[in-house]
Amino acid sequence: MAGVKITETVLRDAHQSLIATRMRTEDMLPIAEKLDNVGYHSLEVWGGATFDSCLRFLNEDPWERLRVLRRAFKNTKLQMLLRGQNLLGYKHYADDVVEEFVKKSVENGIDIIRIFDALNDPRNLKTAIKATKNAGGHAQATISYTVSPVHNIDYYVKLAKELENMGADSICIKDMSGILLPYTAEELVRKVKGEVKVPIQIHSHFTSGIANQTYMKAIEAGADIIDTAISPLGMGTSQPATESMVASLKGSPYDPGLDMNLLLEISEYFKGLRDKYVKEGLLNPKVLEVNAKTLKYQVPGGMLSNLVSQLQSQGALDKFDEVLEEVPKVREDLGYPPLVTPMSQMVGTQAVFNVVLGERYKMIPTEVKNYVKGLYGKPTVPINEEIKKKIIGDEEVFTGRPADLLEPELDDLREDIKEYMEQEEDVLSYALFPQVAIDYFKYRQAEKYKIDTNLLNQEYKTYPV
């Protein structure tokens, strides 16, 4: 076997996991050339929460970030994470929006699109996979890994085969909670490799402290690519450290052959950046701790911090352990969905309501009702009739592909924002995050006006009357 390949996540998932996706483009560019020369399989630089964060918190245009990074990385493939029919938002979008978003992502510089669905419902991946291939991109279909009485090796092997038949160019096993155990990973990868011909990539988080061992067993079983993060922004709720994995594989048949000295130089840069984030209060040391409770409750790191925040706002932080105990119960009630966006938010919020209000399902978020109505896709197992009645009464459940209920919307969206549009991509920003995008467009116009005023002032000074 040739050496295992490495996808570096420091410019996307690493800072999403550790500093709430607050890394700025200006912090990425000084190290771009060195990252580009490492010889990574790919760099994950976009998607996930970066799009929302650029607009909402950083006053950056995510599309411009992508274009700037594409110019900076001349040798390395750029990768993004996409939530299937949810794109980068938190609801399903019409097919015309999905198709246009994927097309523009590839046009602006993305090579590989990792496409997942929170319910592992292939119907929610279909449009994005097809659009990626039509645009000339690499469609990486994804298995959202979780553990339940119905999520077993056979279930995942069957799903992998289905994804390959849908046209996936590669398959990622996405372990968002860090709960994929080493020997389970070995068996899973070996059996999937026996059934599909496309490359297999493993993505895990270090949250529970076992991801390094999981990677090693997966590699020995035939995994082709692993996700790692350069050490200053690795481990904790992020990915295993790049340098450590490269050193561990050195001299073996799986040696990635990357330059350790160059990795150490990159590490020094990000160490300085991490120190800056700590001073700014963006990096809470708690996210760097190993949390073995993850293995019991399957709660990803981001969901843990969200639960803490919700309980603090209710003045009920003392009920944290009780909520953790409630999470698996809610998950079972809802048909064992994997705890990944947006299902992690739904299950977590419902668990908080159940505990804080002292009565299960006394208050139910709209999203949970819509999920039970079938508007997000098909649960892994049918939802118990008693629970269903408690949540939606006698309302009908939709069993088709949720996006079939949505009318094309791009033309209407363009009309809505014609006064703000400066590029075709603006309509997609607005489609995903309407109010946040409008706020950003107003900011952009104000900044542009200030620049023009400065230029006028400069010209006035240069040419005296």
Side-chain angles (χ1 to χ4, degrees), residues 45 81 98 120 127-128 150 196 199 225 239 249 251 260 267-268 274 291 324 342 370 414 430 439 452:
V45 300
L81 180 69
V98 174
N120 285 322
T127 301
V150 287
V196 305
I225 315 155
Q239 280 71 55
L249 296 164
M260 182 58 84
S267 181
E268 276 303 303
R274 184 186 66 184
N291 190 333
L324 275 186
N370 286 340
R414 275 196 193 94
Y430 175 69
D439 290 345
D452 289 344

Side-chain angles (χ1 to χ4, degrees), residues 3-125:
V4 71
K5 295 172 180 172
I6 300 218
T7 291
E8 174 61 63
T9 68
V10 71
L11 301 185
R12 204 286 297 177
D13 202 3
H15 72 100
Q16 180 171 322
S17 298
L18 297 184
I19 59 162
T21 331
R22 295 298 200 277
M23 192 185 294
R24 296 180 171 277
T25 308
E26 66 190 38
D27 289 335
M28 301 174 183
L29 292 175
I31 198 66
E33 188 177 353
K34 285 183 178 175
L35 283 168
D36 196 29
N37 289 331
V38 170
Y40 288 119
H41 165 70
S42 64
L43 285 158
E44 193 192 44
V45 300
W46 213 60
T50 60
F51 198 96
D52 184 0
S53 190
C54 275
L55 292 169
R56 192 183 300 268
F57 301 115
L58 305 178
N59 284 326
E60 288 191 27
D61 176 7
W63 296 99
E64 184 57 22
R65 169 181 289 191
L66 176 53
R67 290 189 286 266
V68 166
L69 292 177
R70 179 70 281 171
R71 289 194 292 271
F73 294 112
K74 297 174 173 57
N75 310 309
T76 313
K77 287 180 179 173
L78 299 186
Q79 185 164 323
M80 72 170 290
L81 180 69
L82 190 84
R83 301 184 192 117
Q85 206 75 27
N86 290 173
L87 294 175
L88 303 178
Y90 307 102
K91 64 171 191 172
H92 281 186
Y93 299 93
D95 284 339
D96 64 336
V97 175
V98 174
E99 287 159 359
E100 184 69 6
F101 191 94
V102 168
K103 180 181 159 211
K104 287 295 179 187
S105 299
V106 174
E107 274 181 18
N108 281 280
I110 289 294
D111 300 293
I112 301 167
I113 303 185
R114 178 178 293 170
I115 306 161
F116 81 94
D117 176 62
L119 296 175
N120 285 322
D121 188 337
R123 300 172 305 171
N124 292 335
L125 304 177

Side-chain angles (χ1 to χ4, degrees), residues 7 25 42 76 103 108 140 176 182 264 298 345 354 365 441:
T7 291
T25 308
S42 64
T76 313
K103 180 181 159 211
N108 281 280
Q140 183 174 86
M176 54 281 175
L264 292 174
Q298 299 194 44
Q345 286 87 338
N354 288 359
F441 297 153

Side-chain angles (χ1 to χ4, degrees), residues 227-450:
D227 285 9
T228 64
I230 207 79
S231 61
L233 288 175
M235 298 169 289
T237 53
S238 177
Q239 280 71 55
T242 305
E243 308 94 302
S244 307
M245 285 307 305
V246 169
S248 300
L249 296 164
K250 192 169 176 60
S252 76
Y254 316 108
D255 191 336
L258 303 186
D259 182 343
M260 182 58 84
N261 288 328
L262 186 52
L263 289 175
L264 292 174
E265 286 176 33
I266 292 165
S267 181
E268 276 303 303
Y269 174 81
F270 282 105
K271 186 173 179 297
L273 211 50
R274 184 186 66 184
D275 292 345
K276 184 181 93 163
Y277 296 143
V278 170
K279 280 180 192 165
E280 290 173 0
L282 287 174
L283 199 156
N284 183 330
K286 272 197 171 302
V287 298
L288 298 173
E289 295 171 2
V290 164
N291 190 333
K293 278 186 178 176
T294 305
L295 295 168
K296 181 178 179 183
Y297 301 118
Q298 299 194 44
V299 176
M303 185 179 170
L304 274 175
S305 54
N306 198 34
L307 289 177
V308 169
S309 158
Q310 285 186 55
L311 287 168
Q312 276 176 331
S313 69
Q314 304 278 335
L317 199 51
D318 59 315
K319 297 188 184 294
F320 181 66
D321 286 337
E322 214 179 316
V323 169
L324 275 186
E325 295 278 356
E326 179 67 9
V327 165
K329 294 172 189 170
V330 171
R331 186 170 167 253
E332 182 179 351
D333 289 344
L334 298 181
Y336 295 108
L339 293 180
V340 66
T341 302
M343 292 313 305
S344 51
Q345 286 87 338
M346 289 187 214
V347 171
T349 302
Q350 188 63 66
V352 168
F353 284 169
N354 288 359
V355 169
V356 171
L357 298 175
E359 184 185 327
R360 303 188 83 232
Y361 301 105
K362 183 178 182 181
M363 186 184 287
I364 300 156
T366 305
E367 292 79 9
V368 173
K369 289 179 182 176
N370 286 340
Y371 162 70
V372 174
K373 287 180 200 171
L375 301 184
Y376 282 87
K378 188 181 176 185
T380 313
V381 295
I383 296 169
N384 174 295
E385 284 301 322
E386 189 186 332
I387 295 291
K388 195 186 291 179
K389 196 162 184 62
K390 208 176 258 194
I391 293 175
I392 61 168
D394 295 322
E395 286 193 62
E396 200 177 329
V397 173
F398 180 71
T399 56
R401 185 181 78 110
D404 288 343
L405 296 169
L406 304 173
E407 295 291 330
E409 52 185 335
L410 267 181
D411 290 344
D412 289 343
L413 293 168
R414 275 196 193 94
E415 184 62 26
D416 285 351
I417 61 154
K418 58 186 179 186
E419 64 182 295
Y420 296 112
M421 270 187 75
E422 294 184 11
Q423 57 179 351
E424 268 300 304
E425 291 82 358
D426 286 344
V427 71
L428 297 165
S429 302
Y430 175 69
L432 267 59
F433 303 105
Q435 191 51 57
V436 173
I438 291 289
D439 290 345
Y440 170 74
F441 297 153
K442 288 176 178 173
Y443 163 82
R444 183 174 65 184
Q445 282 188 349
E447 286 299 294
K448 191 176 175 186
Y449 177 73
K450 275 197 292 193

